[in-house]
Amino acid sequence: MAKYLLLKHYRGGPTPVNDVPMDQWTPEEISAHVQYMEDFAARLQETGEFVDGQAVAPEGTFVRYDGEGRPPVTDGPFAETKDLIAGWMLIDVDSYDRALELAGELSAAPGAGGKPLHEWLEVRPLLTLPPTVTD
């Protein structure tokens, strides 16, 4: 089994087919989207492939280490970055192909008008420890 992170972006990736921002969706459209995500996660829990998932708010702050004292903080993230994560799902699957298959299904979550988003998801493998070499 290998773990993959499926990342949903607010912006920065290729434009989805159904490109209406979520803040313009009706409450019913938002509920249908959230229900799709919950049903998808529940199905993967049954197969043992779901590890965790969360939605992430669009606002955030950048912080870095800057030696002694209080770390510098700046407002952000910035709209021009492609790292504005809307949410993520961590899966544990048998293969990269299975991760791609599930990302494709997740991309079909409904958006405005109840139509699938056809959004692009970023699929990132988690790093694993290198194999131990023995004599």
Side-chain angles (χ1 to χ4, degrees), residues 41-87:
R43 186 167 48 89
L44 295 185
Q45 283 177 327
E46 291 174 8
T47 64
E49 296 172 307
F50 180 81
V51 177
D52 197 10
Q54 296 292 322
V56 181
E59 53 277 337
T61 303
F62 281 101
V63 178
R64 69 172 187 175
Y65 175 75
D66 198 30
E68 297 298 318
R70 187 168 186 250
V73 175
T74 183
D75 60 345
F78 303 105
E80 63 271 19
T81 68
K82 64 180 190 176
D83 297 322
L84 295 173
I85 307 300

Side-chain angles (χ1 to χ4, degrees), residues 1-5 49 51 90-96 98-99 124-126 128:
M1 300 289 277
K3 291 184 178 146
Y4 291 88
L5 189 60
E49 296 172 307
V51 177
L90 185 59
I91 58 174
D92 194 358
V93 294
D94 288 328
S95 67
Y96 177 70
R98 178 64 174 153
R124 304 271 307 265
L126 269 60
T128 59

